[in-house]
Amino acid sequence: DVKVTQSSRYLVKRTGEKVFLECVQDMDHENMFWYRQDPGLGLRLIYFSYDVKMKEKGDIPEGYSVSREKKERFSLILESASTNQTSMYLCASSRNGASTDTQYFGPGTRLTVL
Amino acid sequence: GEDVEQSLFLSVREGDSSVINCTYTDSSSTYLYWYKQEPGAGLQLLTYIFSNMDMKQDQRLTVLLNKKDKHLSLRIADTQTGDSAIYFCAEFEDSSYKLIFGSGTRLLVRP
C-alpha cells in the first residue's frame, strides 16, 4: 500500500513565524502535491513537483514556497505565517503525471495561525 | 479556469440510496474521480470513470457520466452510517496535468 505521511496532524503557530510542513511518500512516486482545504472551497492546489528540485506553482502559491531535495520528501514552507493561512493542508503523491494516475493523500495537517 | 461544482450537503436515512451530483467544465477531461474524506482524515480514492464510459459499478457504488451535459453522479446503495463523510468530485485537466476538485458534498446518514 502507498503510504503518504505528514509530519504533524495539528500545528499552532504565531503570526510571522516560519512554518515547515513535511510530507514523505514511500512509493518512489515522481509527483507530489500540496493542497489546502477550506470549508466551501474544496481543495486548492498550492504547489506541485514532478521531479527532485523541480516545482510548479498551483492555483494559490502566494505566501508559500516548497522544497523537494529528495524524491520521497516534499516540504511546504510558510515564510511568515499569517492568520489567513489557517487551514487544513493536504499532501498527495502520484506515480507520474498521467490522467490514469491516482493521487494518494496524506492524513492532513491542521494549521492554526494565531 | 476550469470549474467543478457540487452541492454542499446531503442528508439521507440509513438504508436509503444517496446520490451525489457534480458538474464540470473541461470537456477534454479523460478521467473523473470520486474521493471520500472521513472526519479528521485525508482523501481516499473511491472510484473513477474514464470519459468514454457512461456507467461504472463497484459493489454499492455506481458512477454515472453524462458527457454531453458534463454531469457526474455517485450513487451509494443501502447507505450506512459509516458512509457519512465528505465526497469530492475531481476532474483531470489534461492540459495542465492537474486534478481540479469540487468543493465537496457532506453526506450525513441518519439512523
Side-chain angles (χ1 to χ4, degrees), chain A residues 13-70:
Chain A
K13 296 290 181 182
R14 294 204 175 277
T15 301
E17 278 193 79
K18 190 168 184 175
V19 183
F20 290 88
L21 302 183
E22 304 283 342
C23 175
V24 177
Q25 49 92 6
D26 66 357
M27 281 301 290
D28 202 35
H29 282 176
E30 291 179 11
N31 286 12
M32 296 187 75
F33 307 82
W34 275 108
Y35 295 88
R36 64 177 281 177
Q37 180 184 9
D38 299 290
L41 296 176
L43 272 71
R44 293 180 291 166
L45 182 64
I46 304 171
Y47 266 98
F48 66 102
S49 167
Y50 52 88
D51 201 352
V52 176
K53 296 194 187 296
M54 306 303 287
K55 61 185 179 186
E56 289 286 336
K57 291 181 181 178
D59 300 317
I60 51 163
E62 297 78 19
Y64 302 93
S65 62
V66 289
S67 171
R68 185 124 182 247
E69 295 296 318
K70 293 185 179 180

Side-chain angles (χ1 to χ4, degrees), chain B residues 24 27-32 49-54 65 67:
Chain B
Y24 61 97
S27 57
S28 65
S29 290
T30 47
Y31 279 85
L32 296 128
I49 188 166
F50 188 46
S51 60
N52 70 352
M53 297 167 68
D54 50 22
L65 175 61
K67 203 172 176 188

Side-chain angles (χ1 to χ4, degrees), chain A residues 9 33 35 37 40-43 45 48 57-59 88 90 97-103 105-108, chain B residues 8 30-31 33 35 37 40-45 48 86 88 92 94 96-104:
Chain A
R9 293 300 301 274
F33 307 82
Y35 295 88
Q37 180 184 9
L41 296 176
L43 272 71
L45 182 64
F48 66 102
K57 291 181 181 178
D59 300 317
M88 168 74 96
L90 291 164
S99 59
T100 49
D101 231 18
T102 300
Q103 284 191 21
F105 284 81
Chain B
L8 289 180
T30 47
Y31 279 85
Y33 303 83
Y35 281 84
Q37 183 183 35
L43 272 69
Q44 170 197 358
L45 179 68
Y48 61 90
I86 302 176
F88 290 91
F92 188 84
D94 288 21
S96 66
Y97 297 98
K98 290 192 293 188
L99 268 184
I100 310 296
F101 284 87
S103 56

Side-chain angles (χ1 to χ4, degrees), chain B residues 71-110:
Chain B
H71 183 265
L72 182 73
S73 68
L74 174 70
R75 179 176 180 270
I76 306 173
D78 187 26
T79 314
Q80 303 297 307
T81 53
D83 295 324
S84 290
I86 302 176
Y87 291 82
F88 290 91
C89 163
E91 64 169 343
F92 188 84
E93 189 179 77
D94 288 21
S95 58
S96 66
Y97 297 98
K98 290 192 293 188
L99 268 184
I100 310 296
F101 284 87
S103 56
T105 299
R106 184 178 293 274
L107 174 65
L108 176 68
V109 182
R110 309 186 305 274

